Amino acid sequence: TGPIMTSDTLPAPYVSSADSTNTTYASFNAFTHNTYDFSARWQSATVAYPHHIELDLGSNVVFNAFEYSGCYVGGAERGFSNYVCSASLDGISFTNLDSGTFVAGTAIDPCKPQTKTNSNTTAYRYYKLSSTEGWVNNQALITSWTLKKY
C-alpha cells in the first residue's frame, strides 16, 4: 500500500501536493491512513472545482486500486462526488486509469471507505485523484486516499 506520511515531504522520497490547501489541513493528511479521524484530513481552499490531490512516490511503482474516504462534516458530505484517477511518469503528462463516482458518506457512516480498482500494469511515479464536482460548496475534504496493488 501507499506510504504513511507525516508531512508533505516525509517520509522521503514521498511528496504530497494538491491544487489548493486550507492552511490547517495539508495534503499529506490524506496519506496518514487515519480514515475516521476528521482532524487528519486534506481540505482544499474554498475555491471553485476542479480540485485534485497528488502523490509523488519518488520512483515508479504499479498501483491498480485505491481506497478513498471523503468526509461527512457539519451535516453534509464534503468530499468528491466524481473522480478521475490518473498517473504519470514525469508529473506533467497524465494517463487516466479510472473514473467514476463516489457514494456520499452519512451521519451513520461518515467517512464511507470505498475501494476502486483498475487494470493498470504500468509503474508510474505520480498518482493523482481529481474531481470536477463535490457534494457541497466548493471545498473538498478527504480523510484518506490509499494506493493499493491487487
Side-chain angles (χ1 to χ4, degrees):
T1 62
I4 298 175
M5 299 192 68
T6 57
S7 80
D8 284 342
T9 57
L10 290 175
Y14 307 111
V15 176
S16 68
S17 61
D19 65 285
S20 67
T21 299
N22 173 299
T23 56
T24 306
Y25 304 105
S27 61
F28 82 89
N29 286 311
F31 303 102
T32 60
H33 299 224
N34 292 325
T35 302
Y36 289 100
D37 183 355
F38 295 135
S39 65
R41 66 180 185 246
W42 164 64
Q43 183 172 321
S44 72
T46 307
V47 296
Y49 273 85
H51 289 299
H52 75 266
I53 190 163
E54 184 176 322
L55 183 62
D56 175 353
L57 298 169
S59 63
N60 296 348
V61 180
V62 175
F63 286 110
N64 60 3
F66 67 87
E67 183 178 280
Y68 161 92
S69 295
C71 194
Y72 184 92
V73 177
E77 171 63 53
R78 309 275 179 187
F80 292 173
S81 60
N82 64 27
Y83 72 90
V84 174
C85 182
S86 57
S88 173
L89 296 170
D90 60 9
I92 298 167
S93 177
F94 282 80
T95 300
N96 289 348
L97 303 177
D98 186 31
S99 63
T101 59
F102 292 121
V103 176
T106 64
I108 295 169
D109 189 5
C111 296
K112 194 146 190 82
Q114 299 168 66
T115 299
K116 304 291 185 175
T117 60
N118 60 68
S119 59
N120 180 46
T121 58
T122 303
Y124 291 103
R125 178 173 171 168
Y126 303 86
Y127 286 82
K128 182 190 294 186
L129 188 64
S130 306
S131 181
T132 58
E133 185 176 25
W135 293 105
V136 174
N137 71 34
N138 291 319
Q139 199 166 46
L141 285 71
I142 296 176
T143 56
S144 182
W145 183 42
T146 306
L147 297 169
K148 297 179 175 263
K149 183 175 182 190
Y150 289 116

